[in-house]
Structures are given as C-alpha cells and as structure tokens.
Amino acid sequence: MTRLLPLFLLVGCSKGPLSGTWLYADSTIVSDSCQLLDDGDLLVGDFYLWNQGDGTMVIDPNDGSEIFTCTLEKGAFSCPDRLQDEQTQGQTTLSAVVAAEGAFDGREDAAGSQLGTVTCDGPGCQALEEAYGQSFPCTAEIEFTATWTSPTLPEEQ
C-alpha cells in the first residue's frame, strides 16, 4: 500500500486541463470592427480536448473546422492557429486568422478570448471597403468560457 501512495500522488497531481469533452460558451462580443457579429452569433457547444502532457493540448472544435494545437504554460493557453481561411476572387484575396488564448482555473474550467483578424490584398479591396463600410485589416473579439463535462473522447489523438 505504501508503494502505491507515491504513484497515486504523482498521477493525481498532473498539470493542465482534463482530457475529454468540454462545453464551450461564448459570453461577450468585446469588439467587432469587421461588423461581422451580433449577439445572435454567440455559440454554445461541445468540443474535445486532449491534454498531451508535454505542454500542449489538441482541440477538435467539433464544428467542422480543423483540429488545432495549443501551448500550455502555468495554466495559460495560447492557440495562434485556431482557424485560418482565405478566399480569392480575381486578384483580390480576403484572409482570416483566428487565435484563442486564456487560462484554466483548475483542471475543469477555462476562460479566454478568440481574436479574429481579416485582411485584404489586391485591387478589389477598396471596392469591398466601400461596399461594406469598413476598412482592412479589421478585427473581432469574443470572450468565452469552457467547462469539462466528461472524459468521453471520439478517439485518441
């Protein structure tokens, strides 16, 4: 029994968030110079998190977008490549990049923000700015919370 106690303490004191199913909930639109969001765009849904145990975690947003990797350090997380998208029409390209960052409060709760930036490159950018009444680059930021709900995962990463 005394030999198992140190092993139990080591396993029980592991760092970082619990792997499993988490509930994501947008809470506030902080800013939106892109004029893309309104309160009806705030989302709630499950996502999957794998704590790799090496200072990284893998996230499957469970919304059809790409799986991404985040770094973990002292309870804080950073996901610089949460989402990237690019659309080109003719010689004009709109690019969107979304990053997420925040911190865990213990192993089962987190809070943070997602910051999206949209840039435009090409001769059609001025026409897009005039048509939509905005300039590029523009940004949108949403605060969120997340809570661990279950150890269930679709499959190990």
Side-chain angles (χ1 to χ4, degrees):
M1 177 72 171
T2 57
R3 295 177 123 185
L4 294 176
L5 187 57
L7 179 60
F8 173 76
L9 290 174
L10 181 64
V11 172
C13 293
S14 64
K15 304 277 187 205
L18 294 172
S19 294
T21 302
W22 286 68
L23 178 65
Y24 171 93
D26 286 331
S27 60
T28 306
I29 298 171
V30 175
S31 64
D32 182 15
S33 68
C34 296
Q35 302 174 32
L36 297 173
L37 306 171
D38 61 39
D39 288 337
D41 293 320
L42 296 177
L43 302 173
V44 174
D46 288 338
F47 68 94
Y48 305 110
L49 182 153
W50 290 266
N51 182 345
Q52 302 297 87
D54 62 358
T56 63
M57 63 182 181
V58 175
I59 304 287
D60 178 346
N62 195 29
D63 64 2
S65 61
E66 295 290 320
I67 292 173
F68 58 96
T69 301
C70 306
T71 59
L72 293 166
E73 186 174 339
K74 297 181 182 175
F77 61 89
S78 175
C79 316
D81 299 319
R82 189 271 180 249
L83 180 69
Q84 295 184 359
D85 191 25
E86 191 171 274
Q87 295 182 10
T88 301
Q89 187 165 8
Q91 297 177 332
T92 302
T93 301
L94 283 176
S95 300
V97 176
V98 178
E101 61 182 31
F104 289 94
D105 181 13
R107 300 191 68 205
E108 299 180 15
D109 294 293
S113 63
Q114 293 197 71
L115 177 63
T117 303
V118 179
T119 58
C120 187
D121 184 44
C125 293
Q126 183 175 354
L128 286 172
E129 288 177 345
E130 291 171 5
Y132 293 101
Q134 65 186 43
S135 60
F136 297 103
C138 63
T139 61
E141 183 177 4
I142 294 177
E143 291 180 343
F144 66 86
T145 60
T147 305
W148 181 82
T149 60
S150 163
T152 305
L153 288 168
E155 59 185 58
E156 289 299 317
Q157 289 294 307

